[in-house]
Amino acid sequence: MSRVSGSKEPMLPNRMLSKMMLTPRPMVSLVAALLLFFSTQVVPAGEAKLALTGGTVMTVSGESIAGGVVLIEDGIITAVGTAETEIPYDAMEVDCTGMILAPGFVDPHSSDGLDIPNENLPSAPFVDVFDALDPSRFFFEDSLRNGVTSIHVMQGNNCVVGGVSRIVHPIGLTPHEMSRQAGVALKLSTSPRRGYGRMRQLAELREVFEEYDRWRENLAESRYEQEADKEDDDDSDTLPPEESRSQGQELIRDEDLDDQHRHLAHLIDGRLGAWIYCGSATDVAPALALVADRDWKDRAVLVLAGDAHLAIEEIKEAGIDVVLDSDLIHRKRDLLTGDVEETFIPDVYRRAGVRFAIQPSRSGAMPERFIGYQAARLVRSGITPAEALRIVTLGAAEICGIDDRYGSIEVGKIGNIVLWTGDPLDLNSWVQKVFVEGILAYDLEKDARLERLFPEEPEPEEAPAPLDDEGTSEEGQDAKPAEGTPEKTAGEAPADDGEPLEEKSSEKGEAPADKPVDPPKESSVAGGE
Amino acid sequence: MKSGNLWWLILLTGWIGWCTTVEGSENSVVIRPVAVVALDGSICEQMAVVIRSDGTIAAVIPADQADPALPTVHAAAGSVLTPGLHDLFGALGCGQDALMAGTVLFDSQLDAAAAFDPTTGALDQAARHGILYTTVAAVPSGIRNGSSATFLCKSDATAQSVAAGRPMYALADSVLLSSREPTSRSAMVSLWKDFMVEGAGKNRDPGVLFCPDAIDFRQSLSLRWKSLPVLVHQGDARSPVERLAGKDALMVVGPFLENGNPAAVATAVRAARTGTELAFRGGLPAAPANHLRGSAAIAVAAGLDGDAARRALFSNPAQVVAGHGIGVIEPGARADLVLFSADPLDPAARVLRVWRGGQQMGMKTHGSIRELGGIR
Amino acid sequence: MPLGRHRCEWIDDRWSLFPRGIPSDTLSARPTGRGEDLRCLGESSDEFRSWGPRWRPIPCDLAARGRWIDVDDWTAQEAQFNGPRGSTLMIHRGRQRFRLAGARVNLGSGDDCTAWVFFEPKDRRKLPKMKCNRLFSRGVSKRSAIQRGGHLQPLPRWLTLLLASLTMLLVWGHPGTVEAQFFERALVLEGVHIPGPDGRVLEDSNIVLRGGRIVELGPDSDAPMMSKKLKVKGLFATAGLTDLSSTLTLDDVRSSSAIHSAWDGFDRYDSQQILRTLASGVTRIHLIPMGPGGIVGRVSSLSLGSRDEGGYGILHSEDVALCIDLSSGTPLERIRTYEKVRGALKSALNRRETVDDYTSDLEEYIEDLVEAAKKKAEEKDEEKDEKKGEKEKGEKEKGEKEEEGPKKPDRPERDPAAEILLQVLDHELPVMITARRSADLQNAIDLIEEFQLSAILRGADEAHLVLEGLAELEKVSLLLEVPRLSLTRGAGPRRDPHLIAQLDEEGISWAVGSGGESTSLWRSIQQLSGQLSTASPLPLALAQGAQGPFGGWLRRGATEVVLWEGNPAEDPLARPNRVIINGTVVWQRPSGTREGSF
């Protein structure tokens, strides 16, 4: 040790850094802080201060506040409180009377935003979903419309070792703009890939890590030799390979990692999480064995599907978080009696006390594609609405390891807030507005696609405004909030923003069946102004 | 039951035996002492069977009553004499595709006997495994598929029919699969209802009905039968076999294979428990040669009564094809006999001797390896 | 002959596989709890003391020479083989550390050999407890002590006191643990009949299971206090059957490789299939990997008991054999497969050379290094004596040194498949060669002869045609499968009905497997016993599993019990009613409405 001490000194900061990174929490916050620092620069933070007033704030982390105020400054929530909360004079105030403010949903596991969800290569730890992110996907637009503000984009399940995932926002024109946190977790699978059997899958999975171990040994050896060569000191001695391998382990720097192994190294040294896909119950045991063997307990997540809930005892004992498949009901047919046994899967985990997240369906044709609907199904099985809402927001953020920034309306968290016309778990509620980092990212009134879906009603006395006109007025609105109109009040001002909102709130009492036709009507009124 | 049956047999056959021995017994053969599978499936120990020279059974009597002067076949201890096994609705003795039916929906002219080729060696081979009868029938692609034909398993120049043909019907998806009307199940069922009024209902012989799936079975039972046909049913967990209770029904099930569908076996056992008599369907020559006994062993392991299983192997198939003098060991019946080394339900039982029409068959196989070694 | 037909020794007074003089209890060491500590019920021998506290020898089954011995529950660390031939005892540990601790010991084929398995307790402090347990285990050790010569060594007083206080503490602190450890309720099967190998039946016997193992059995053994009693009066108890050739729940895959392990493919939660297999009386299977021809993967052996954490299947060994399939595909493909396998084995041999070269080079290199270091130190001393020399000189010396410096050998690349093949070539892992037709068998024989493999020939239907070749081989045994005779011509290899008689004549050992469908094992063996004209299929069936302390006839230490409705030795229609593995009823014949199911 002492022999190479001379060479160690320049490396010290690096080593400290990597030591810090060994523990996941500081690492996450560090990366987060860095990212935030950059993100505030990249995204033109038009609105400096935003005040959402008058709505019911479902904070998720604490009690709901009726008529509460949420202040967002530079994309960060700076205050959450009752109506008495002081609103800075220069804040743009958005009246949310009659609305419900909830944190944006967190989609814990999605490959929908990707160009192609799976790689052809069985083992591709070197890929990053960043390169396959397609900002123009309808999926992102739809996510926003359904109140999802953070998406953990991850490679599909059809792999042995997949690429690195990241957290993205569903807004932005380039992957850069969308990305919020790179390098969250690596996808692994213990379920056979298409065309594979279990034997081959597990053999190859083991092989990936054994190959990595050998590669790292060799790297350590050569690193040691490099360092030894550098020294002019006579003391520097060539060591037997065994020793140089163990001594060189500490000399490995980040830049020594090659592309093929970099992410694996990060996975093993703790910078990346391990998300392991288990498509059936029997695949759980090897996954847990891998986790125990490599000591990933605190950063492993099982992505489950099929009858994996049968292995609940094992999962419970391992104390590992799970992400459930969108198909929440498992049906098993008894060959002998022909009876079909139905299991509501989240119930199994809830009873066992295993923390779980749910994901929306990938098929566009089913109601399961709404996280809100999925959460509502949880309520049906006996979970309280508050708990169900927590599962799809803060709970999912915890499992993704981003609960320090996302998942609830709390001071210090990122201002991802969704304005609902009603309870977020009620299918009659609409997403009225979505603020992502304090920026209005979606407005129901300006949702062109919904407008086409629900064309204007013939009833209004005024002739329908031409589309062009409408468009321009909308654009104007889009641009305006940046400047901010602080003098606007909720009470009487017939300002462009206030009126539809008020109408909205008054309509809240109406029959829910009327809801779908509402937005166009409002927009037409707004257009007429 | 067992002992009562024994006494009945002794009394009845003793008398007949006495008559026959009095009549004169040139060229008769007696097999004794041997256990015999009786009509109800039980095994009667210490019996003797006298075979007349014309290929029929002369008498079944207690072993000590047999005439010691007659030429005697001494059966090994523990061996069991049974009627021949019966390969039902397989293709034994037929060429490939010979049983494909035509395009006629109601084909009453078709005779499966036309497809039978008595010269194939497979018949003798099957006989070595104790399978002495084969019933062939056309593929059930129409509602009426002609009639079945039953032959003795003997590779010979001429076919020996041992039972008259029975009309074959089908109410199954296979009817729909052929490229003609009907194309829907509802159409098929309504055709069947009409047919019940005109054809099958008037027919004196209810025949044999293919209804492999649970839905076929249910719909078959809903038709108004004067007397219930023999049902050929695969079965699954949802088959309402309990509805056959008390109807003296006869059902052809199987064949059961290792790792096959457990629900089919369970259904068959369920049916047997409610009083339905079973018979095992054959599948030769493609299936393993011992699959009939294998089916029985699997059914027994699943809970079928041993006597019921033996009835399903021997006497019930004869009823399925309405054969006379086959499937039973009683005076006047055909002397088609198999001597097993043990209870035929025991997988360990081997075929020791085979008689077809009173003639013992040469059991020698293709020569031992020692001999082959000499050739090499 | 790792796998062979095996004659069980029936010892009259004790239901034991072991010859007189060696108490079977010495073998029944088992972990209490989750593999935490070990409970040794046996008498410690003098040898044990000489080995010190770290390694504990366990006298292994002397009768089991030439067979597999399973020591799955122990954490076997090392083994030594003191046979007259001086051969080595081989232990295969699981390749993956994350598996259950398990090991499998092959005692080779020595004559009067003594084998020792050394195992290390996970925690050394538990050692006194092991002795303590000896006292608590109900009279078992006493009997074994009497058998050995009748002295039971008293514990030192201080130890007794310490133990007592410890026990008190434990009782006070963890009543649950104490109950589980010492007062674990025994399971008693009352009034069962136990068929024995000599055709006798022990009527109305009791079987006492404690901790999943049989501790007492026989007509005179009575139920301990507070034991759970199972109403099984009139049923017949035998050990579970072992299927040596099963593909239970494996999916048919299109790839094969030496690194594949059949255990990976086992579906623990496919309860329908597994229960059907249990219902046929099979409790232990050797899982044969499936795949296209060539080197298919490794055979695993497992018990079908239910796991604590759900599902079925307790792994026993992952390295039973390496499976090579020479019998699938067209004849041309089969020839190619043979060539491929041969090539792989050859390249493994080459690899061994490379590895050996590397090892010796490495040793030389390290020696050189040490020498160089010494030299350098001397020089330095000299230098110090001389005063510090000029820099040029130093540089010069350095340059020289670099030239002189020993050359580091290149480390060979990783090749896990070749490593496994090397194990095969070193006889650490037997091969199981699937060959059915005579041509394939001939190929297999060539392979075995060329590479001196210890092999099991699976299938071997046409073995009668290559009998001479087989007889010449030393280390080979056959794993036969009962063929499904078909009337169709050319449907497959033809099995001679007298094959087994011929094998016996030639002295070739054989065993029977189901060939995939484990449910058919019992019927297949019955069928086979009919061909052999043996009195009862039961000895044949139980001999399949009689390798090591499991399987075989029912006796103390066994963990797997099958209760039959009739006497399987006599009644051909007898069927299992209950299957008990590790003290749990894993399968029970459904009664009432569900009757008629498997």
Side-chain angles (χ1 to χ4, degrees):
Chain A
M1 287 293 273
S2 61
R3 284 185 211 122
V4 284
S5 67
S7 71
K8 256 186 194 166
E9 258 156 283
M11 290 193 56
L12 255 174
N14 206 339
R15 284 190 60 214
M16 274 173 67
L17 196 71
S18 67
K19 230 177 198 169
M20 276 172 66
M21 287 186 166
L22 277 177
T23 51
R25 260 322 94 120
M27 179 273 288
V28 167
S29 53
L30 186 76
V31 173
L34 281 174
L35 271 170
L36 273 179
F37 179 68
F38 287 120
S39 66
T40 42
Q41 291 210 329
V42 170
V43 177
E47 33 219 308
K49 290 178 186 172
L50 181 72
L52 307 172
T53 59
T56 306
V57 183
M58 295 178 105
T59 59
V60 172
S61 56
E63 293 288 309
S64 293
I65 307 165
V69 171
V70 179
L71 278 182
I72 302 172
E73 237 172 278
D74 289 335
I76 307 284
I77 300 171
T78 53
V80 182
T82 53
E84 283 88 64
T85 312
E86 195 184 329
I87 299 167
Y89 72 95
D90 58 344
M92 186 190 87
E93 193 176 333
V94 178
D95 181 23
C96 314
T97 312
M99 305 249 178
I100 288 180
L101 276 69
F105 292 149
V106 178
D107 189 342
H109 178 258
S110 169
S111 54
D112 264 16
L114 300 181
D115 188 21
I116 290 168
N118 290 297
E119 291 295 320
N120 270 338
L121 279 172
S123 169
F126 45 83
V127 301
D128 191 324
V129 290
F130 179 83
D131 300 317
L133 264 182
D134 181 359
S136 63
R137 287 256 152 178
F138 176 67
F139 164 74
F140 291 118
E141 183 192 324
D142 215 29
S143 295
L144 215 49
R145 189 174 290 125
N146 296 328
V148 179
T149 55
S150 316
I151 304 168
H152 183 207
V153 177
M154 182 160 238
Q155 193 183 319
N157 300 328
N158 192 18
C159 64
V160 174
V161 177
V164 170
S165 69
R166 57 176 59 209
I167 304 284
V168 304
H169 281 169
I171 51 168
L173 296 175
T174 63
H176 272 293
E177 278 179 26
M178 300 174 73
S179 289
R180 279 301 168 270
Q181 181 181 328
V184 176
L186 205 64
K187 176 56 102 32
L188 311 166
S189 170
T190 51
S191 281
R193 196 175 172 260
R194 200 171 304 134
Y196 274 38
R198 287 213 164 77
M199 288 191 284
R200 184 173 181 191
Q201 178 80 15
L202 293 178
E204 284 194 9
L205 186 59
R206 272 194 292 270
E207 197 46 33
V208 166
F209 288 104
E210 274 166 23
E211 194 273 336
Y212 168 79
D213 287 344
R214 167 59 77 97
W215 169 82
R216 191 165 174 100
E217 272 182 10
N218 289 347
L219 179 66
E221 191 180 339
S222 63
R223 274 293 300 149
Y224 177 81
E225 278 161 15
Q226 276 176 22
E227 291 296 325
D229 282 352
K230 256 189 225 164
E231 287 176 45
D232 290 337
D233 197 357
D234 264 0
D235 287 349
S236 75
D237 218 353
T238 36
L239 285 177
E242 285 281 329
E243 277 179 53
S244 57
R245 265 171 227 151
S246 65
Q247 300 224 355
Q249 285 288 354
E250 302 192 348
L251 301 174
I252 295 175
R253 302 159 300 183
D254 261 6
E255 59 260 41
D256 298 326
L257 305 175
D258 67 9
D259 286 345
Q260 179 74 34
H261 298 93
R262 181 174 296 117
H263 290 150
L264 286 177
H266 289 180
L267 172 68
I268 282 160
D269 70 17
R271 273 180 268 184
L272 285 176
W275 285 47
I276 309 175
Y277 172 68
C278 307
S280 68
T282 191
D283 301 325
V284 171
L288 294 178
L290 184 66
V291 168
D293 191 37
R294 295 274 168 180
D295 200 16
W296 293 335
K297 190 176 174 293
D298 48 350
R299 56 204 152 92
V301 172
L302 298 186
V303 182
L304 302 179
D307 62 352
H309 60 276
L310 293 177
I312 182 68
E313 285 297 319
E314 289 172 74
I315 298 169
K316 188 179 163 186
E317 204 172 297
I320 281 182
D321 299 337
V322 298
V323 175
L324 306 185
D325 192 45
S326 60
D327 193 359
L328 294 180
I329 293 177
H330 181 255
R331 292 176 182 84
K332 188 187 170 196
R333 188 164 185 274
D334 190 323
L335 258 184
L336 278 177
T337 61
D339 296 336
V340 174
E341 193 190 346
E342 279 196 355
T343 315
F344 189 71
I345 297 169
D347 221 28
V348 177
Y349 295 98
R350 185 174 63 92
R351 288 212 192 102
V354 174
R355 196 160 65 166
F356 64 91
I358 50 175
Q359 45 176 330
S361 159
R362 303 298 160 218
S363 148
M366 289 191 290
E368 282 90 339
R369 74 178 188 276
F370 303 116
I371 290 192
Y373 174 76
Q374 295 283 71
R377 290 171 82 191
L378 297 183
V379 176
R380 196 172 62 180
S381 87
I383 295 174
T384 62
E387 187 55 29
L389 185 62
R390 192 182 188 283
I391 285 168
V392 292
T393 53
L394 192 57
E398 278 167 355
I399 286 172
C400 297
I402 51 170
D403 52 314
D404 54 337
R405 284 162 296 144
Y406 299 104
S408 64
I409 303 182
E410 274 180 282
V411 173
K413 287 210 176 177
I414 288 169
N416 286 359
I417 293 175
V418 180
L419 266 65
W420 293 85
T421 59
D423 188 329
L425 304 188
D426 186 349
L427 281 187
N428 289 320
S429 320
W430 285 81
V431 172
Q432 185 68 34
K433 283 185 168 62
V434 177
F435 292 95
V436 174
E437 291 178 340
I439 302 170
L440 182 67
Y442 170 81
D443 193 339
L444 181 68
E445 289 149 36
K446 289 154 201 164
D447 191 333
R449 221 180 280 272
L450 276 188
E451 245 171 67
R452 229 172 296 148
L453 262 177
F454 306 111
E456 296 146 19
E457 288 176 28
E459 276 88 33
E461 55 281 271
E462 286 176 68
L467 269 173
D468 283 1
D469 194 1
E470 215 178 283
T472 49
S473 86
E474 269 171 24
E475 274 167 30
Q477 277 180 346
D478 254 348
K480 274 290 178 275
E483 261 75 69
T485 48
E487 71 283 352
K488 183 192 68 179
T489 50
E492 15 89 66
D496 45 356
D497 246 350
E499 196 178 72
L501 269 182
E502 195 182 46
E503 262 186 36
K504 186 88 214 164
S505 63
S506 65
E507 280 159 14
K508 247 212 79 178
E510 289 178 21
D514 289 349
K515 280 278 133 61
V517 293
D518 284 344
K521 191 174 150 199
E522 285 157 21
S523 69
S524 77
V525 171
E529 287 288 310
Chain B
M1 178 72 192
K2 201 169 167 177
S3 60
N5 187 64
L6 183 78
W7 281 112
W8 176 83
L9 265 176
I10 289 170
L11 287 175
L12 186 79
T13 57
W15 177 76
I16 297 168
W18 177 75
C19 289
T20 47
T21 40
V22 166
E23 253 174 43
S25 53
E26 62 277 21
N27 298 329
S28 294
V29 178
V30 64
I31 307 164
R32 76 184 174 110
V34 77
V36 172
V37 171
L39 189 62
D40 68 346
S42 61
I43 295 178
C44 305
E45 306 276 350
Q46 289 294 323
M47 300 294 281
V49 175
V50 185
I51 301 173
R52 207 184 286 146
S53 54
D54 64 351
T56 57
I57 294 169
V60 185
I61 45 180
D64 46 2
Q65 291 182 20
D67 185 357
L70 284 174
T72 306
V73 174
H74 290 284
S79 53
V80 177
L81 192 69
T82 70
L85 293 164
H86 197 144
D87 191 78
L88 280 175
F89 311 125
L92 184 58
C94 293
Q96 206 152 20
D97 299 338
L99 294 169
M100 297 302 279
T103 53
V104 187
L105 192 59
F106 298 96
D107 194 341
S108 52
Q109 304 302 312
L110 189 75
D111 189 2
F116 186 72
D117 171 16
T119 56
T120 53
L123 291 170
D124 269 353
Q125 277 192 49
R128 284 200 183 89
H129 290 99
I131 297 156
L132 298 191
Y133 310 113
T134 170
T135 298
V136 290
V139 171
S141 58
I143 286 179
R144 167 88 201 255
N145 306 295
S147 17
S148 67
T150 307
F151 299 96
L152 183 73
C153 287
K154 191 170 190 180
S155 303
D156 207 349
T158 51
Q160 267 194 65
S161 176
V162 291
R166 284 199 89 174
M168 303 295 296
Y169 302 103
L171 196 167
D173 279 345
S174 56
V175 178
L176 301 176
L177 288 177
S178 55
S179 54
R180 52 160 158 66
E181 289 290 308
T183 50
S184 74
R185 183 165 279 274
S186 50
M188 177 172 68
V189 173
S190 75
L191 274 173
W192 252 106
K193 280 179 179 155
D194 294 347
F195 184 52
M196 285 305 291
V197 177
E198 298 158 7
K202 286 181 184 164
N203 206 333
R204 197 172 296 163
D205 186 357
V208 180
L209 176 66
F210 273 92
C211 47
D213 295 332
I215 182 172
D216 308 328
F217 188 80
R218 223 174 11 251
Q219 290 176 346
S220 304
L221 290 190
S222 68
L223 298 171
R224 259 181 252 153
W225 296 100
K226 263 190 202 134
S227 56
L228 205 62
V230 175
L231 298 164
V232 182
H233 182 46
Q234 206 81 47
D236 70 17
R238 294 295 192 200
S239 303
V241 286
E242 284 80 9
R243 283 169 57 183
L244 293 178
K247 290 187 177 165
D248 289 336
L250 192 54
M251 200 162 98
V252 179
V253 295
F256 304 136
L257 302 169
E258 299 288 351
N259 276 18
N261 180 9
V265 187
T267 309
V269 175
R270 249 188 319 136
R273 276 167 194 275
T274 51
T276 303
E277 287 296 318
L278 301 182
F280 297 112
R281 192 175 169 183
L284 292 179
N290 57 355
H291 81 284
L292 276 173
R293 281 166 60 207
S295 295
I298 288 172
V300 167
L304 187 67
D305 184 48
D307 287 354
R310 277 183 287 263
R311 286 201 298 277
L313 280 180
F314 303 112
S315 56
N316 291 346
Q319 289 187 38
V320 169
V321 297
H324 286 293
I326 62 171
V328 286
I329 301 182
E330 59 184 22
R334 281 186 60 94
D336 298 329
L337 301 170
V338 182
L339 187 65
F340 283 100
S341 64
D343 181 354
L345 292 182
D346 183 353
R350 282 163 299 137
V351 177
L352 298 176
R353 288 164 199 262
V354 171
W355 289 266
R356 291 179 296 190
Q359 285 177 327
Q360 195 176 333
M361 185 188 176
M363 289 301 287
K364 224 173 171 197
T365 44
H366 304 290
S368 73
I369 291 314
R370 299 261 166 258
E371 293 159 26
L372 275 183
I375 294 162
R376 194 167 43 154
Chain C
M1 285 177 284
L3 193 147
R5 196 151 64 97
H6 152 62
R7 238 184 21 254
C8 296
E9 300 202 35
W10 177 252
I11 293 165
D12 242 4
D13 51 351
R14 291 289 146 221
W15 299 77
S16 166
L17 187 72
F18 306 99
R20 243 179 273 259
I22 292 189
S24 60
D25 303 313
T26 37
L27 258 183
S28 46
R30 64 179 185 85
T32 60
R34 288 180 169 270
E36 282 302 312
D37 57 347
L38 291 153
R39 185 191 279 191
C40 183
L41 300 175
E43 182 72 359
S44 61
S45 58
D46 292 340
E47 285 91 339
F48 159 51
R49 243 164 268 119
S50 70
W51 281 96
R54 187 172 165 79
W55 300 101
R56 284 175 69 87
I58 287 192
C60 266
D61 174 13
L62 297 198
R65 61 177 180 271
R67 284 189 301 275
W68 287 107
I69 286 198
D70 297 314
V71 287
D72 65 337
D73 286 337
W74 316 334
T75 41
Q77 295 281 334
E78 200 175 291
Q80 196 178 325
F81 184 68
N82 304 324
R85 293 186 186 172
S87 38
T88 48
L89 178 69
M90 291 166 285
I91 287 198
H92 306 296
R93 298 211 57 200
R95 298 182 63 76
Q96 285 75 38
R97 276 181 299 141
F98 57 79
R99 272 200 314 97
L100 297 165
R104 166 159 276 241
V105 185
N106 179 11
L107 287 184
S109 51
D111 288 321
D112 293 307
C113 50
T114 320
W116 301 95
V117 182
F118 301 112
F119 66 92
E120 186 184 19
K122 289 253 172 73
D123 185 354
R124 258 202 242 180
R125 280 165 299 175
K126 298 262 169 68
L127 270 175
K129 202 167 164 191
M130 295 164 74
K131 284 191 172 176
C132 146
N133 280 336
R134 203 181 73 216
L135 290 181
F136 280 98
S137 61
R138 238 184 113 259
V140 173
S141 60
K142 210 180 274 176
R143 184 177 298 123
S144 66
I146 290 160
Q147 274 183 356
R148 282 179 66 89
H151 62 281
L152 184 68
Q153 291 162 346
L155 292 177
R157 177 169 285 260
W158 62 272
L159 195 57
T160 323
L161 280 173
L162 183 75
L163 281 174
S165 52
L166 270 177
T167 318
M168 289 299 287
L169 265 174
L170 207 64
V171 170
W172 181 66
H174 290 277
T177 322
V178 173
E179 193 185 316
Q181 292 266 346
F182 302 117
F183 306 112
E184 190 182 62
R185 289 179 71 190
L187 178 72
V188 180
L189 315 179
E190 278 188 321
V192 295
H193 311 308
I194 308 172
D198 50 2
R200 280 186 315 163
V201 177
L202 288 184
E203 308 243 329
D204 267 337
S205 307
N206 287 353
I207 299 178
V208 184
L209 291 122
R210 200 187 281 276
R213 272 170 201 274
I214 296 180
V215 292
E216 291 279 333
L217 81 173
D220 51 341
S221 60
D222 38 41
M225 283 201 313
M226 285 177 63
S227 49
K228 276 184 276 185
K229 281 165 193 159
L230 217 56
K231 296 262 177 256
V232 288
K233 202 159 177 54
L235 295 182
F236 288 79
T238 68
L241 308 181
T242 304
D243 187 3
L244 296 175
S245 163
S246 172
T247 54
L248 186 67
T249 75
L250 290 187
D251 39 3
D252 200 2
V253 287
R254 290 186 294 269
S255 65
S256 53
S257 155
I259 60 171
H260 288 187
S261 162
W263 169 244
D264 286 339
F266 181 69
D267 189 341
R268 300 162 186 80
Y269 289 89
D270 191 348
S271 46
Q272 282 186 347
Q273 287 254 34
I274 294 169
L275 284 177
R276 275 179 79 186
T277 306
L278 283 171
S280 68
V282 173
T283 57
R284 184 170 287 258
I285 55 172
H286 283 211
L287 212 51
I288 313 268
M290 293 201 281
I295 299 170
V296 183
R298 279 164 299 148
V299 180
S300 305
S301 87
L302 55 134
S303 144
L304 292 177
S306 58
R307 305 191 307 160
D308 294 341
E309 60 268 39
Y312 296 85
I314 296 160
L315 180 65
H316 193 24
S317 166
E318 219 170 342
D319 299 312
V320 175
L322 181 72
C323 190
I324 295 176
D325 189 350
L326 293 180
S327 73
S328 56
T330 61
L332 199 62
E333 279 169 357
R334 296 206 294 266
I335 293 168
R336 254 186 229 139
T337 308
Y338 165 68
E339 288 299 336
K340 230 167 42 187
V341 171
R342 199 160 154 260
L345 285 167
K346 268 191 178 163
S347 67
L349 280 178
N350 288 341
R351 180 177 164 79
R352 173 150 63 195
E353 266 171 38
T354 332
V355 172
D356 287 350
D357 284 353
Y358 171 70
T359 325
S360 57
D361 284 356
L362 192 67
E363 273 169 22
E364 260 174 46
Y365 170 66
I366 290 171
E367 271 172 31
D368 287 353
L369 276 185
V370 172
E371 256 172 49
K374 257 187 214 163
K375 215 191 220 168
K376 205 195 279 171
E378 281 167 16
E379 276 172 14
K380 211 188 261 170
D381 288 345
E382 281 168 28
E383 269 176 45
K384 270 180 192 168
D385 289 347
E386 282 175 12
K387 274 200 277 175
K388 288 190 177 166
E390 296 106 291
K391 276 186 184 173
E392 283 172 33
K393 195 185 165 191
E395 275 170 20
K396 200 183 167 189
E397 273 183 359
K398 224 181 154 193
E400 279 170 12
K401 230 179 271 165
E402 271 169 16
E403 281 165 26
E404 285 166 14
K407 198 172 164 283
K408 196 174 75 172
D410 288 332
R411 197 179 184 193
E413 288 289 308
R414 267 185 85 246
D415 190 348
E419 292 297 325
I420 290 170
L421 288 182
L422 276 182
Q423 281 185 21
V424 167
L425 292 169
D426 292 343
H427 302 273
E428 290 168 12
L429 186 68
V431 281
M432 178 180 283
I433 304 178
T434 311
R436 300 183 194 280
R437 289 165 199 277
S438 52
D440 306 333
L441 280 165
Q442 195 55 53
N443 284 344
I445 289 169
D446 291 350
L447 267 188
I448 294 167
E449 274 179 347
E450 185 176 355
F451 297 100
Q452 288 299 311
L453 304 172
S454 42
I456 304 156
L457 281 175
R458 173 175 173 244
D461 287 321
E462 292 184 345
H464 53 273
L465 297 177
V466 290
L467 210 56
E468 284 153 27
L470 284 175
E472 278 166 24
L473 297 176
E474 277 182 23
K475 300 171 200 154
V476 71
S477 50
L478 301 193
L479 177 52
L480 303 177
E481 288 159 4
V482 175
R484 279 151 200 61
L485 294 170
S486 175
L487 299 183
T488 340
R489 278 192 189 280
R494 286 272 165 193
R495 165 86 75 83
D496 185 71
H498 308 295
L499 174 63
I500 288 172
Q502 294 172 49
L503 290 179
D504 282 343
E505 207 172 283
E506 299 283 353
I508 300 169
S509 62
W510 54 271
V512 185
S514 75
E517 298 153 352
S518 295
T519 48
S520 69
L521 182 72
W522 175 237
R523 284 187 281 274
S524 301
I525 288 176
Q526 279 178 312
Q527 203 179 326
L528 197 67
S529 77
Q531 286 175 22
L532 289 176
S533 309
T534 51
S536 160
L538 193 63
L540 188 60
L542 292 179
Q544 305 304 315
Q547 290 149 20
F550 302 96
W553 295 93
L554 205 61
R555 63 194 154 73
R556 248 185 293 140
T559 52
E560 295 156 7
V561 184
V562 178
L563 297 172
W564 303 72
E565 287 170 3
N567 185 356
E570 287 164 4
D571 181 5
L573 304 186
R575 47 185 189 161
N577 182 278
R578 258 167 245 239
V579 178
I580 298 166
I581 301 180
N582 293 334
T584 342
V585 181
V586 285
W587 177 82
Q588 186 169 359
R589 182 169 292 283
S591 55
T593 50
R594 291 291 304 276
E595 178 103 45
S597 66
F598 273 91

